Amino acid sequence: MKNKFLYPLIICLLITLSCEQEVIDLQDPDAPPAACNSCPAGASAGANVSFAKFVSIGNGFVAGFQAGALFTAGQNNSMAKLLSAQLNCASGSTAAFNQPDIGSVNGYNVQSSIPGVITLGRLILFDPDGPTGPRSATPYPSGFPGAAAVTCPSAVPATPALPAPYNTADLPTAFTGDKNALNNYGVPLIFLGQALTPATGNPGAGAIYNPLWARFAKEPGVKSMLEDALGAAGSFYLIWLGVEDALLNAATGASGAYPLTDPAAFNTQYTTMITTMLAANPTFKGVVGNIPSISSFPHFTTVTWNQLKLSAAQVEGLTPMATGYNSILNSLVPGTITAAERDKRLLTYTVHNPSTSTDIATRSAVLIVDEDLTDLSSHLPASLAHLAKARQAKSNDLIPLAAGSILGTCFSGLATAVYGVSFPIPDQYALTNAEIVVIETALAQYNATISTAVANSNNRLALADVKAAYANLLAASANPATRGILIDGVTVASSFAPPAGIFSEDGLHPNNRGNAFTANIFIDAINAKFTSTVPKICMTQFGGTSLPVNP
């Protein structure tokens, strides 16, 4: 983990561009079935497993991280904690599930804050107490990296992007509770390899250091996260690591801000972890989660590749640049670039027609940097130098949510250099198809490693297929006939748009209802493997992302 500013998780440029979160009618959900009871009579652990002491080890999805931060309300509804209540119901236990409480209303946004400059909290879709209230969404200071601080003196007006982080936040402090009584070893922004080495708790260890682990490690820098979790001596474990090994690389446009873990290294690390756990505690059983495709997260699908809605005047203003650039491409000496690359790079801007039948077809593609393109610097005049490795996005590219912090703003305040329109957004704000293929290939290998580890566990581990469940939800959400899946009389969808979306404002981590949805995936796996009858969580008990409203 890099303990520094990486990118602001800010979205939805509401200019002539607009985010494609589906707006769902705000109707009261149907009454839940009478049988919707999170702890019905007859629930049982079964004969082959004990839930007497439940321990979890994992990532931000396990810790309750959401909306770009770890904060009290999110942690109180962590997926692991919700699951523990259901396991208690099945076993008849009243055992507490102890977590390393963060004790913070707004949390600490690790990725958007700049140490010593500005401390920011969780992301919000609305400002609950007005622009001058104590929890106001921050106006970024001048020069803040990636912030829409420079307005465009052009025909493309810039409108503040949302969600934004609270400007009232709390730096993580050391956990002062009983570290020997903890059950949840979920740590946000943790790579698999970091969970296996003591150095992750050592502030002097450089990029591998994770302060959100060090704050509750029993012996920071001496024992690893895995060692502490094993020391908790659980009878049943939730194990969900490896998500960040690919997801963080993808969320930063495969730019190198976060590395993509090599599949061979992942295989060694994961196999070592499971083998070590099974040998150290020969009686426990558990459930393991696999890793969803990046396309299952709204962080990668909210801002579309063809996001631009340009007026006739805007297209007229862009035409000289496009014509001049295309002319140079068509006149290059044969062999400079291939015909396929030339065709990929040709610029096309279309006048947007907002009518339902032509809306999508008349949108223009976002201009991006593609590091795999031939560098044409020596063939371009100074006025077109910014296009040396640029092209417009294609339907098989993805634009991460963080691009909303820069789309439509101006490079150096120049009216002719509008990010994503006439000036390419930097590499960290786009995922090309080539980069997507590399990430998804790695994910497939990660998941093969996880499946093999479970298969070789002597029937002690169940596999929760989170990948399939999230993909099924995405497909149902994209279906105009369903717009999601109806559960307990409540529609849930693969977005962060209220009221149905199960993801939080960062587009990556589930909200409270999403944590319940995800916990149920693990419950299904537990019941199928161990013939238990752990009851599933009722969706009606948990809310989604708060509505964006004016105070």
PDB file of all heavy atoms in Angstrom, residues 427-461:
ATOM      1  N   ASP A 427      -3.453   8.800 -17.910  1.00  0.00           N
ATOM      2  CA  ASP A 427      -3.522   7.339 -17.897  1.00  0.00           C
ATOM      3  C   ASP A 427      -4.280   6.783 -16.700  1.00  0.00           C
ATOM      4  O   ASP A 427      -5.006   5.796 -16.813  1.00  0.00           O
ATOM      5  CB  ASP A 427      -2.089   6.781 -17.916  1.00  0.00           C
ATOM      6  CG  ASP A 427      -2.043   5.265 -17.951  1.00  0.00           C
ATOM      7  OD1 ASP A 427      -2.842   4.662 -18.689  1.00  0.00           O
ATOM      8  OD2 ASP A 427      -1.213   4.683 -17.237  1.00  0.00           O
ATOM      9  N   GLN A 428      -4.143   7.407 -15.512  1.00  0.00           N
ATOM     10  CA  GLN A 428      -4.767   6.849 -14.319  1.00  0.00           C
ATOM     11  C   GLN A 428      -6.287   6.965 -14.325  1.00  0.00           C
ATOM     12  O   GLN A 428      -6.958   6.393 -13.471  1.00  0.00           O
ATOM     13  CB  GLN A 428      -4.229   7.514 -13.049  1.00  0.00           C
ATOM     14  CG  GLN A 428      -4.572   8.980 -12.864  1.00  0.00           C
ATOM     15  CD  GLN A 428      -3.466   9.897 -13.348  1.00  0.00           C
ATOM     16  OE1 GLN A 428      -2.803   9.612 -14.359  1.00  0.00           O
ATOM     17  NE2 GLN A 428      -3.253  10.999 -12.643  1.00  0.00           N
ATOM     18  N   TYR A 429      -6.841   7.705 -15.290  1.00  0.00           N
ATOM     19  CA  TYR A 429      -8.287   7.883 -15.348  1.00  0.00           C
ATOM     20  C   TYR A 429      -8.946   7.069 -16.454  1.00  0.00           C
ATOM     21  O   TYR A 429     -10.117   7.311 -16.784  1.00  0.00           O
ATOM     22  CB  TYR A 429      -8.615   9.369 -15.534  1.00  0.00           C
ATOM     23  CG  TYR A 429      -8.169  10.233 -14.384  1.00  0.00           C
ATOM     24  CD1 TYR A 429      -7.176  11.191 -14.551  1.00  0.00           C
ATOM     25  CD2 TYR A 429      -8.733  10.091 -13.117  1.00  0.00           C
ATOM     26  CE1 TYR A 429      -6.758  11.991 -13.492  1.00  0.00           C
ATOM     27  CE2 TYR A 429      -8.321  10.879 -12.056  1.00  0.00           C
ATOM     28  CZ  TYR A 429      -7.336  11.826 -12.246  1.00  0.00           C
ATOM     29  OH  TYR A 429      -6.930  12.609 -11.203  1.00  0.00           O
ATOM     30  N   ALA A 430      -8.237   6.114 -17.018  1.00  0.00           N
ATOM     31  CA  ALA A 430      -8.825   5.283 -18.072  1.00  0.00           C
ATOM     32  C   ALA A 430      -8.221   3.891 -18.030  1.00  0.00           C
ATOM     33  O   ALA A 430      -7.043   3.719 -17.710  1.00  0.00           O
ATOM     34  CB  ALA A 430      -8.595   5.922 -19.446  1.00  0.00           C
ATOM     35  N   LEU A 431      -9.028   2.916 -18.362  1.00  0.00           N
ATOM     36  CA  LEU A 431      -8.573   1.534 -18.511  1.00  0.00           C
ATOM     37  C   LEU A 431      -8.807   1.111 -19.952  1.00  0.00           C
ATOM     38  O   LEU A 431      -9.956   1.018 -20.396  1.00  0.00           O
ATOM     39  CB  LEU A 431      -9.349   0.597 -17.578  1.00  0.00           C
ATOM     40  CG  LEU A 431      -8.840   0.367 -16.165  1.00  0.00           C
ATOM     41  CD1 LEU A 431      -9.812  -0.536 -15.410  1.00  0.00           C
ATOM     42  CD2 LEU A 431      -7.449  -0.247 -16.166  1.00  0.00           C
ATOM     43  N   THR A 432      -7.738   0.892 -20.690  1.00  0.00           N
ATOM     44  CA  THR A 432      -7.880   0.430 -22.059  1.00  0.00           C
ATOM     45  C   THR A 432      -8.247  -1.049 -22.067  1.00  0.00           C
ATOM     46  O   THR A 432      -8.052  -1.761 -21.068  1.00  0.00           O
ATOM     47  CB  THR A 432      -6.580   0.624 -22.845  1.00  0.00           C
ATOM     48  OG1 THR A 432      -5.575  -0.253 -22.313  1.00  0.00           O
ATOM     49  CG2 THR A 432      -6.098   2.067 -22.757  1.00  0.00           C
ATOM     50  N   ASN A 433      -8.757  -1.507 -23.197  1.00  0.00           N
ATOM     51  CA  ASN A 433      -9.129  -2.922 -23.276  1.00  0.00           C
ATOM     52  C   ASN A 433      -7.932  -3.827 -23.025  1.00  0.00           C
ATOM     53  O   ASN A 433      -8.057  -4.878 -22.390  1.00  0.00           O
ATOM     54  CB  ASN A 433      -9.737  -3.224 -24.649  1.00  0.00           C
ATOM     55  CG  ASN A 433     -10.190  -4.668 -24.761  1.00  0.00           C
ATOM     56  OD1 ASN A 433     -11.050  -5.115 -24.023  1.00  0.00           O
ATOM     57  ND2 ASN A 433      -9.579  -5.405 -25.672  1.00  0.00           N
ATOM     58  N   ALA A 434      -6.759  -3.415 -23.501  1.00  0.00           N
ATOM     59  CA  ALA A 434      -5.556  -4.227 -23.284  1.00  0.00           C
ATOM     60  C   ALA A 434      -5.261  -4.362 -21.798  1.00  0.00           C
ATOM     61  O   ALA A 434      -4.890  -5.431 -21.308  1.00  0.00           O
ATOM     62  CB  ALA A 434      -4.367  -3.609 -24.015  1.00  0.00           C
ATOM     63  N   GLU A 435      -5.429  -3.265 -21.056  1.00  0.00           N
ATOM     64  CA  GLU A 435      -5.201  -3.298 -19.607  1.00  0.00           C
ATOM     65  C   GLU A 435      -6.261  -4.139 -18.910  1.00  0.00           C
ATOM     66  O   GLU A 435      -5.968  -4.878 -17.953  1.00  0.00           O
ATOM     67  CB  GLU A 435      -5.199  -1.875 -19.059  1.00  0.00           C
ATOM     68  CG  GLU A 435      -3.993  -1.044 -19.504  1.00  0.00           C
ATOM     69  CD  GLU A 435      -4.129   0.439 -19.200  1.00  0.00           C
ATOM     70  OE1 GLU A 435      -5.274   0.922 -19.093  1.00  0.00           O
ATOM     71  OE2 GLU A 435      -3.083   1.111 -19.087  1.00  0.00           O
ATOM     72  N   ILE A 436      -7.495  -4.042 -19.384  1.00  0.00           N
ATOM     73  CA  ILE A 436      -8.582  -4.830 -18.804  1.00  0.00           C
ATOM     74  C   ILE A 436      -8.310  -6.313 -18.969  1.00  0.00           C
ATOM     75  O   ILE A 436      -8.513  -7.115 -18.038  1.00  0.00           O
ATOM     76  CB  ILE A 436      -9.926  -4.452 -19.456  1.00  0.00           C
ATOM     77  CG1 ILE A 436     -10.285  -3.005 -19.112  1.00  0.00           C
ATOM     78  CG2 ILE A 436     -11.040  -5.398 -18.994  1.00  0.00           C
ATOM     79  CD1 ILE A 436     -11.418  -2.442 -19.951  1.00  0.00           C
ATOM     80  N   VAL A 437      -7.839  -6.711 -20.152  1.00  0.00           N
ATOM     81  CA  VAL A 437      -7.544  -8.125 -20.416  1.00  0.00           C
ATOM     82  C   VAL A 437      -6.472  -8.635 -19.454  1.00  0.00           C
ATOM     83  O   VAL A 437      -6.581  -9.738 -18.911  1.00  0.00           O
ATOM     84  CB  VAL A 437      -7.100  -8.320 -21.882  1.00  0.00           C
ATOM     85  CG1 VAL A 437      -6.535  -9.715 -22.096  1.00  0.00           C
ATOM     86  CG2 VAL A 437      -8.284  -8.086 -22.821  1.00  0.00           C
ATOM     87  N   VAL A 438      -5.439  -7.827 -19.218  1.00  0.00           N
ATOM     88  CA  VAL A 438      -4.368  -8.230 -18.290  1.00  0.00           C
ATOM     89  C   VAL A 438      -4.933  -8.425 -16.885  1.00  0.00           C
ATOM     90  O   VAL A 438      -4.641  -9.425 -16.206  1.00  0.00           O
ATOM     91  CB  VAL A 438      -3.242  -7.175 -18.279  1.00  0.00           C
ATOM     92  CG1 VAL A 438      -2.252  -7.463 -17.151  1.00  0.00           C
ATOM     93  CG2 VAL A 438      -2.514  -7.158 -19.618  1.00  0.00           C
ATOM     94  N   ILE A 439      -5.771  -7.491 -16.441  1.00  0.00           N
ATOM     95  CA  ILE A 439      -6.335  -7.564 -15.091  1.00  0.00           C
ATOM     96  C   ILE A 439      -7.281  -8.752 -14.962  1.00  0.00           C
ATOM     97  O   ILE A 439      -7.209  -9.526 -13.990  1.00  0.00           O
ATOM     98  CB  ILE A 439      -7.059  -6.254 -14.743  1.00  0.00           C
ATOM     99  CG1 ILE A 439      -6.059  -5.109 -14.635  1.00  0.00           C
ATOM    100  CG2 ILE A 439      -7.840  -6.394 -13.436  1.00  0.00           C
ATOM    101  CD1 ILE A 439      -6.694  -3.731 -14.574  1.00  0.00           C
ATOM    102  N   GLU A 440      -8.162  -8.924 -15.928  1.00  0.00           N
ATOM    103  CA  GLU A 440      -9.129 -10.026 -15.849  1.00  0.00           C
ATOM    104  C   GLU A 440      -8.436 -11.388 -15.968  1.00  0.00           C
ATOM    105  O   GLU A 440      -8.873 -12.370 -15.355  1.00  0.00           O
ATOM    106  CB  GLU A 440     -10.200  -9.878 -16.924  1.00  0.00           C
ATOM    107  CG  GLU A 440     -11.153  -8.711 -16.706  1.00  0.00           C
ATOM    108  CD  GLU A 440     -12.081  -8.896 -15.506  1.00  0.00           C
ATOM    109  OE1 GLU A 440     -12.061  -9.974 -14.862  1.00  0.00           O
ATOM    110  OE2 GLU A 440     -12.826  -7.951 -15.186  1.00  0.00           O
ATOM    111  N   THR A 441      -7.367 -11.441 -16.726  1.00  0.00           N
ATOM    112  CA  THR A 441      -6.599 -12.694 -16.821  1.00  0.00           C
ATOM    113  C   THR A 441      -5.977 -13.020 -15.470  1.00  0.00           C
ATOM    114  O   THR A 441      -5.996 -14.183 -15.026  1.00  0.00           O
ATOM    115  CB  THR A 441      -5.505 -12.574 -17.894  1.00  0.00           C
ATOM    116  OG1 THR A 441      -6.114 -12.339 -19.170  1.00  0.00           O
ATOM    117  CG2 THR A 441      -4.674 -13.849 -17.979  1.00  0.00           C
ATOM    118  N   ALA A 442      -5.428 -12.002 -14.824  1.00  0.00           N
ATOM    119  CA  ALA A 442      -4.861 -12.208 -13.489  1.00  0.00           C
ATOM    120  C   ALA A 442      -5.937 -12.648 -12.510  1.00  0.00           C
ATOM    121  O   ALA A 442      -5.734 -13.566 -11.700  1.00  0.00           O
ATOM    122  CB  ALA A 442      -4.185 -10.932 -13.003  1.00  0.00           C
ATOM    123  N   LEU A 443      -7.114 -12.020 -12.578  1.00  0.00           N
ATOM    124  CA  LEU A 443      -8.215 -12.382 -11.686  1.00  0.00           C
ATOM    125  C   LEU A 443      -8.632 -13.834 -11.874  1.00  0.00           C
ATOM    126  O   LEU A 443      -8.919 -14.548 -10.902  1.00  0.00           O
ATOM    127  CB  LEU A 443      -9.416 -11.467 -11.925  1.00  0.00           C
ATOM    128  CG  LEU A 443      -9.369 -10.088 -11.276  1.00  0.00           C
ATOM    129  CD1 LEU A 443     -10.546  -9.234 -11.726  1.00  0.00           C
ATOM    130  CD2 LEU A 443      -9.373 -10.217  -9.763  1.00  0.00           C
ATOM    131  N   ALA A 444      -8.677 -14.282 -13.123  1.00  0.00           N
ATOM    132  CA  ALA A 444      -9.033 -15.673 -13.393  1.00  0.00           C
ATOM    133  C   ALA A 444      -8.025 -16.619 -12.757  1.00  0.00           C
ATOM    134  O   ALA A 444      -8.386 -17.666 -12.192  1.00  0.00           O
ATOM    135  CB  ALA A 444      -9.113 -15.911 -14.903  1.00  0.00           C
ATOM    136  N   GLN A 445      -6.753 -16.237 -12.798  1.00  0.00           N
ATOM    137  CA  GLN A 445      -5.719 -17.075 -12.184  1.00  0.00           C
ATOM    138  C   GLN A 445      -5.791 -17.017 -10.665  1.00  0.00           C
ATOM    139  O   GLN A 445      -5.591 -18.029  -9.989  1.00  0.00           O
ATOM    140  CB  GLN A 445      -4.345 -16.634 -12.701  1.00  0.00           C
ATOM    141  CG  GLN A 445      -4.152 -16.926 -14.186  1.00  0.00           C
ATOM    142  CD  GLN A 445      -2.856 -16.356 -14.736  1.00  0.00           C
ATOM    143  OE1 GLN A 445      -2.698 -15.141 -14.891  1.00  0.00           O
ATOM    144  NE2 GLN A 445      -1.906 -17.218 -15.028  1.00  0.00           N
ATOM    145  N   TYR A 446      -6.092 -15.831 -10.116  1.00  0.00           N
ATOM    146  CA  TYR A 446      -6.286 -15.724  -8.666  1.00  0.00           C
ATOM    147  C   TYR A 446      -7.410 -16.666  -8.225  1.00  0.00           C
ATOM    148  O   TYR A 446      -7.282 -17.401  -7.237  1.00  0.00           O
ATOM    149  CB  TYR A 446      -6.683 -14.309  -8.250  1.00  0.00           C
ATOM    150  CG  TYR A 446      -5.692 -13.209  -8.470  1.00  0.00           C
ATOM    151  CD1 TYR A 446      -6.056 -11.886  -8.208  1.00  0.00           C
ATOM    152  CD2 TYR A 446      -4.396 -13.432  -8.928  1.00  0.00           C
ATOM    153  CE1 TYR A 446      -5.179 -10.837  -8.393  1.00  0.00           C
ATOM    154  CE2 TYR A 446      -3.510 -12.393  -9.107  1.00  0.00           C
ATOM    155  CZ  TYR A 446      -3.914 -11.088  -8.848  1.00  0.00           C
ATOM    156  OH  TYR A 446      -3.034 -10.049  -9.038  1.00  0.00           O
ATOM    157  N   ASN A 447      -8.518 -16.605  -8.944  1.00  0.00           N
ATOM    158  CA  ASN A 447      -9.676 -17.410  -8.557  1.00  0.00           C
ATOM    159  C   ASN A 447      -9.421 -18.903  -8.720  1.00  0.00           C
ATOM    160  O   ASN A 447      -9.946 -19.721  -7.956  1.00  0.00           O
ATOM    161  CB  ASN A 447     -10.909 -16.982  -9.349  1.00  0.00           C
ATOM    162  CG  ASN A 447     -11.514 -15.683  -8.835  1.00  0.00           C
ATOM    163  OD1 ASN A 447     -11.401 -15.379  -7.650  1.00  0.00           O
ATOM    164  ND2 ASN A 447     -12.134 -14.911  -9.710  1.00  0.00           N
ATOM    165  N   ALA A 448      -8.601 -19.260  -9.705  1.00  0.00           N
ATOM    166  CA  ALA A 448      -8.226 -20.674  -9.850  1.00  0.00           C
ATOM    167  C   ALA A 448      -7.411 -21.122  -8.642  1.00  0.00           C
ATOM    168  O   ALA A 448      -7.590 -22.229  -8.123  1.00  0.00           O
ATOM    169  CB  ALA A 448      -7.428 -20.868 -11.140  1.00  0.00           C
ATOM    170  N   THR A 449      -6.516 -20.253  -8.185  1.00  0.00           N
ATOM    171  CA  THR A 449      -5.718 -20.554  -6.986  1.00  0.00           C
ATOM    172  C   THR A 449      -6.622 -20.732  -5.770  1.00  0.00           C
ATOM    173  O   THR A 449      -6.456 -21.668  -4.979  1.00  0.00           O
ATOM    174  CB  THR A 449      -4.717 -19.414  -6.719  1.00  0.00           C
ATOM    175  OG1 THR A 449      -3.705 -19.435  -7.725  1.00  0.00           O
ATOM    176  CG2 THR A 449      -4.055 -19.564  -5.354  1.00  0.00           C
ATOM    177  N   ILE A 450      -7.592 -19.838  -5.614  1.00  0.00           N
ATOM    178  CA  ILE A 450      -8.515 -19.911  -4.477  1.00  0.00           C
ATOM    179  C   ILE A 450      -9.329 -21.201  -4.519  1.00  0.00           C
ATOM    180  O   ILE A 450      -9.478 -21.894  -3.505  1.00  0.00           O
ATOM    181  CB  ILE A 450      -9.438 -18.677  -4.468  1.00  0.00           C
ATOM    182  CG1 ILE A 450      -8.614 -17.413  -4.185  1.00  0.00           C
ATOM    183  CG2 ILE A 450     -10.547 -18.827  -3.429  1.00  0.00           C
ATOM    184  CD1 ILE A 450      -9.370 -16.117  -4.388  1.00  0.00           C
ATOM    185  N   SER A 451      -9.840 -21.551  -5.705  1.00  0.00           N
ATOM    186  CA  SER A 451     -10.630 -22.780  -5.847  1.00  0.00           C
ATOM    187  C   SER A 451      -9.800 -24.012  -5.524  1.00  0.00           C
ATOM    188  O   SER A 451     -10.280 -24.945  -4.865  1.00  0.00           O
ATOM    189  CB  SER A 451     -11.186 -22.881  -7.273  1.00  0.00           C
ATOM    190  OG  SER A 451     -12.112 -21.854  -7.530  1.00  0.00           O
ATOM    191  N   THR A 452      -8.561 -24.015  -5.975  1.00  0.00           N
ATOM    192  CA  THR A 452      -7.674 -25.155  -5.702  1.00  0.00           C
ATOM    193  C   THR A 452      -7.395 -25.280  -4.208  1.00  0.00           C
ATOM    194  O   THR A 452      -7.399 -26.391  -3.652  1.00  0.00           O
ATOM    195  CB  THR A 452      -6.354 -24.996  -6.469  1.00  0.00           C
ATOM    196  OG1 THR A 452      -6.623 -24.967  -7.879  1.00  0.00           O
ATOM    197  CG2 THR A 452      -5.395 -26.141  -6.162  1.00  0.00           C
ATOM    198  N   ALA A 453      -7.151 -24.147  -3.546  1.00  0.00           N
ATOM    199  CA  ALA A 453      -6.886 -24.171  -2.108  1.00  0.00           C
ATOM    200  C   ALA A 453      -8.079 -24.730  -1.344  1.00  0.00           C
ATOM    201  O   ALA A 453      -7.922 -25.510  -0.399  1.00  0.00           O
ATOM    202  CB  ALA A 453      -6.548 -22.769  -1.617  1.00  0.00           C
ATOM    203  N   VAL A 454      -9.272 -24.357  -1.752  1.00  0.00           N
ATOM    204  CA  VAL A 454     -10.485 -24.877  -1.098  1.00  0.00           C
ATOM    205  C   VAL A 454     -10.635 -26.369  -1.368  1.00  0.00           C
ATOM    206  O   VAL A 454     -10.940 -27.158  -0.457  1.00  0.00           O
ATOM    207  CB  VAL A 454     -11.730 -24.100  -1.580  1.00  0.00           C
ATOM    208  CG1 VAL A 454     -13.008 -24.763  -1.060  1.00  0.00           C
ATOM    209  CG2 VAL A 454     -11.661 -22.650  -1.132  1.00  0.00           C
ATOM    210  N   ALA A 455     -10.395 -26.772  -2.606  1.00  0.00           N
ATOM    211  CA  ALA A 455     -10.521 -28.186  -2.965  1.00  0.00           C
ATOM    212  C   ALA A 455      -9.530 -29.057  -2.202  1.00  0.00           C
ATOM    213  O   ALA A 455      -9.803 -30.237  -1.921  1.00  0.00           O
ATOM    214  CB  ALA A 455     -10.328 -28.356  -4.470  1.00  0.00           C
ATOM    215  N   ASN A 456      -8.380 -28.481  -1.854  1.00  0.00           N
ATOM    216  CA  ASN A 456      -7.336 -29.238  -1.149  1.00  0.00           C
ATOM    217  C   ASN A 456      -7.401 -29.077   0.370  1.00  0.00           C
ATOM    218  O   ASN A 456      -6.454 -29.420   1.073  1.00  0.00           O
ATOM    219  CB  ASN A 456      -5.953 -28.790  -1.644  1.00  0.00           C
ATOM    220  CG  ASN A 456      -5.704 -29.181  -3.090  1.00  0.00           C
ATOM    221  OD1 ASN A 456      -6.325 -30.095  -3.616  1.00  0.00           O
ATOM    222  ND2 ASN A 456      -4.799 -28.474  -3.750  1.00  0.00           N
ATOM    223  N   SER A 457      -8.507 -28.568   0.874  1.00  0.00           N
ATOM    224  CA  SER A 457      -8.614 -28.288   2.312  1.00  0.00           C
ATOM    225  C   SER A 457      -9.191 -29.444   3.117  1.00  0.00           C
ATOM    226  O   SER A 457      -9.525 -29.279   4.295  1.00  0.00           O
ATOM    227  CB  SER A 457      -9.490 -27.050   2.537  1.00  0.00           C
ATOM    228  OG  SER A 457     -10.845 -27.325   2.198  1.00  0.00           O
ATOM    229  N   ASN A 458      -9.320 -30.606   2.499  1.00  0.00           N
ATOM    230  CA  ASN A 458      -9.881 -31.776   3.187  1.00  0.00           C
ATOM    231  C   ASN A 458     -11.292 -31.476   3.711  1.00  0.00           C
ATOM    232  O   ASN A 458     -11.663 -31.845   4.825  1.00  0.00           O
ATOM    233  CB  ASN A 458      -8.969 -32.217   4.340  1.00  0.00           C
ATOM    234  CG  ASN A 458      -9.299 -33.622   4.841  1.00  0.00           C
ATOM    235  OD1 ASN A 458      -9.836 -34.442   4.097  1.00  0.00           O
ATOM    236  ND2 ASN A 458      -8.997 -33.894   6.101  1.00  0.00           N
ATOM    237  N   ASN A 459     -12.067 -30.808   2.852  1.00  0.00           N
ATOM    238  CA  ASN A 459     -13.470 -30.483   3.144  1.00  0.00           C
ATOM    239  C   ASN A 459     -13.650 -29.570   4.351  1.00  0.00           C
ATOM    240  O   ASN A 459     -14.724 -29.531   4.960  1.00  0.00           O
ATOM    241  CB  ASN A 459     -14.298 -31.759   3.347  1.00  0.00           C
ATOM    242  CG  ASN A 459     -14.530 -32.506   2.049  1.00  0.00           C
ATOM    243  OD1 ASN A 459     -14.827 -31.892   1.019  1.00  0.00           O
ATOM    244  ND2 ASN A 459     -14.371 -33.816   2.081  1.00  0.00           N
ATOM    245  N   ARG A 460     -12.645 -28.800   4.657  1.00  0.00           N
ATOM    246  CA  ARG A 460     -12.750 -27.889   5.800  1.00  0.00           C
ATOM    247  C   ARG A 460     -13.166 -26.468   5.391  1.00  0.00           C
ATOM    248  O   ARG A 460     -13.523 -25.668   6.245  1.00  0.00           O
ATOM    249  CB  ARG A 460     -11.420 -27.847   6.557  1.00  0.00           C
ATOM    250  CG  ARG A 460     -11.106 -29.150   7.288  1.00  0.00           C
ATOM    251  CD  ARG A 460      -9.697 -29.165   7.867  1.00  0.00           C
ATOM    252  NE  ARG A 460      -9.476 -28.061   8.813  1.00  0.00           N
ATOM    253  CZ  ARG A 460      -8.297 -27.798   9.372  1.00  0.00           C
ATOM    254  NH1 ARG A 460      -7.225 -28.547   9.054  1.00  0.00           N
ATOM    255  NH2 ARG A 460      -8.161 -26.797  10.225  1.00  0.00           N
ATOM    256  N   LEU A 461     -13.116 -26.184   4.098  1.00  0.00           N
ATOM    257  CA  LEU A 461     -13.437 -24.843   3.628  1.00  0.00           C
ATOM    258  C   LEU A 461     -14.545 -24.868   2.583  1.00  0.00           C
ATOM    259  O   LEU A 461     -14.571 -25.744   1.705  1.00  0.00           O
ATOM    260  CB  LEU A 461     -12.202 -24.173   3.031  1.00  0.00           C
ATOM    261  CG  LEU A 461     -11.016 -23.920   3.977  1.00  0.00           C
ATOM    262  CD1 LEU A 461      -9.853 -23.338   3.196  1.00  0.00           C
ATOM    263  CD2 LEU A 461     -11.411 -22.995   5.125  1.00  0.00           C
TER     264      LEU A 461
END
